[in-house]
Amino acid sequence: MFRALLASLLLATPALANDGFGGLSATGLTFAQTDAIAMEREDLFIGLDRIRVAYTFRNLTAQDVTGEVIFPLPPISLQFLMSSDFNMGADRDNIVGFTATVAGQPVTPRIDRIAVIEPPYDENRPAAEHYDTPGRDVTAALARHGIPLSLDTAEIATLLLALPPEAQAELKSEGMADFYEGDPAQGFPPEAWPLWSVVIRYHWTQTFPANATLDVVHDYENHPPGGIFGWQHPPVDDWAQDYAARYCIDDGTSRAIAKRLAPTDGYGIAYTLAYVLRTANSWAGPIGDFRLTLDKGAPENVISLCIDGIEKTGATTFEMRAKDFTPDRDLDILIVTPTGP
């Protein structure tokens, strides 16, 4: 049995946290390292509000290969939801509107949740680790105290404050919550802060038939992080030079950003999309036929990323194609949009 991971949506925060909003970024279907299944085709579409991936897999063996396909969101920090804006709708079972088809037929995945305590923040932590090793599992501990795995932070805070003192002390000692007495006389009520994150996982059992191909398509809502963004050409600040390196902002793109933002005093909104491509390397051999389509959302938006061979195909779209493609880096995509007068 092989375990397939449809590992996706890595939590990220904007560079200018005080003027930004958190969000989700993404990756695609991966399999535990195997020589049995090859990825013949990957057709990846990334837009500001939607991601769609179509695959053709081939089982290279004379035996059926069966495993659990999993699509986990990265840890969603309740503490971050309480303290910052977040590019995501209300809590719901299928929080990103995930859909999938196998051989043209819809799949109904099971959806479950776990709670984790994430490792300390490290800006150099590889993106893939957010879903490979999300943190210490504390699901059972929360269940003992009757705390649901909800993203409704007001509900969770109310439940935490209603716990007896010994339960609050236990959660605090385990690094799962903080409690503050406040000063009701001064208008500051007691507070409770959950310190765990919720991982939402979609999964289903899938068989790859022997000596045959299988088409798998999935798509979901994209909720990337971003924030207020200022730019001048040439970039002089350290953070701007870091952005230029991370997103391969060349001289022409830098001038284009400055020109687009000039009517609004050099400020707009930037979205920072991340997509983990290197998970494709867990399949047998390279991707036979790879196509990447990017949609920047509006003609006036400016897009920048580090990838070779990308060409403009429409007013808002760009495309890159490759044969026998082995990704050697993940995608970091910057989309800058003017905010209007």
Side-chain angles (χ1 to χ4, degrees):
M1 297 282 285
F2 289 95
R3 181 175 178 82
L5 300 179
L6 185 56
S8 172
L9 303 170
L10 308 180
L11 190 63
T13 55
L16 303 177
N18 291 335
D19 297 312
F21 47 86
L24 303 171
S25 51
T27 185
L29 185 67
T30 185
F31 217 58
Q33 193 70 44
T34 177
D35 293 325
I37 310 294
M39 189 187 295
E40 289 195 341
R41 178 182 67 97
E42 178 179 358
D43 191 344
L44 168 62
F45 170 87
I46 300 176
L48 273 173
D49 58 3
R50 201 83 193 168
I51 290 177
R52 179 180 184 274
V53 194
Y55 304 94
T56 298
F57 295 106
R58 178 176 291 278
N59 183 346
L60 303 175
T61 74
Q63 303 294 326
D64 289 353
V65 176
T66 300
E68 193 74 2
V69 176
I70 304 174
F71 177 87
L73 275 64
I76 301 174
S77 166
L78 269 65
Q79 185 179 19
F80 189 86
L81 290 179
M82 289 183 69
S83 60
S84 305
D85 291 329
F86 202 86
N87 181 15
M88 190 171 65
D91 189 10
R92 49 184 169 145
D93 194 29
N94 189 355
I95 198 166
V96 294
F98 175 81
T99 64
T101 63
V102 176
Q105 298 301 310
V107 172
T108 302
R110 297 179 293 278
I111 305 174
D112 52 36
R113 300 186 178 201
I114 66 169
V116 300
I117 301 297
E118 295 185 68
Y121 175 73
D122 178 2
E123 64 179 353
N124 296 316
R125 185 184 181 203
E129 288 187 9
H130 289 270
Y131 55 87
D132 285 343
T133 53
R136 173 169 57 96
D137 191 330
V138 294
T139 309
L142 291 177
R144 286 199 308 271
H145 297 291
I147 304 297
L149 302 184
S150 170
L151 299 179
D152 185 336
T153 54
E155 174 196 18
I156 296 300
T158 298
L159 291 172
L160 289 173
L161 288 171
L163 291 173
E166 59 272 18
Q168 293 184 357
E170 179 184 338
L171 290 175
K172 186 176 179 69
S173 68
E174 293 177 355
M176 296 172 60
D178 267 335
F179 298 89
Y180 302 94
E181 294 182 359
D183 188 349
Q186 298 296 321
F188 300 106
E191 293 184 358
W193 285 75
L195 303 181
W196 66 87
S197 301
V198 174
V199 176
I200 301 173
R201 291 176 170 171
Y202 305 75
H203 57 104
W204 71 92
T205 301
Q206 183 61 55
T207 295
F208 295 83
N211 293 317
T213 61
L214 187 68
D215 293 329
V216 180
V217 179
H218 66 89
D219 71 357
Y220 50 92
E221 299 163 9
N222 193 16
H223 296 279
I228 296 174
F229 183 79
W231 193 259
Q232 63 179 13
H233 178 79
V236 293
D237 296 330
D238 288 344
W239 75 264
Q241 293 179 22
D242 289 343
Y243 259 52
R246 180 173 183 178
Y247 298 104
C248 291
I249 302 174
D250 58 19
D251 186 76
T253 303
S254 176
R255 291 178 185 274
I257 295 173
K259 181 179 179 179
R260 288 288 192 273
L261 300 185
T264 51
D265 296 324
Y267 286 91
I269 297 292
Y271 295 90
T272 53
L273 293 72
Y275 191 94
V276 178
L277 277 177
R278 284 177 292 178
T279 53
N281 296 335
S282 62
W283 302 88
I287 305 170
D289 183 6
F290 176 77
R291 180 171 73 166
L292 168 67
T293 302
L294 301 173
D295 191 332
K296 65 179 181 177
E300 63 269 22
N301 295 348
V302 180
I303 187 170
S304 191
L305 71 157
C306 302
I307 197 167
D308 294 328
I310 195 159
E311 298 180 353
K312 187 176 177 65
T313 57
T316 65
T317 56
F318 301 79
E319 185 177 293
M320 173 265 191
R321 300 201 70 155
K323 298 289 187 181
D324 297 325
F325 179 59
T326 300
D328 60 1
R329 66 181 299 169
D330 300 320
L331 292 178
D332 285 301
I333 306 164
L334 177 71
I335 298 178
V336 179
T337 179
T339 57

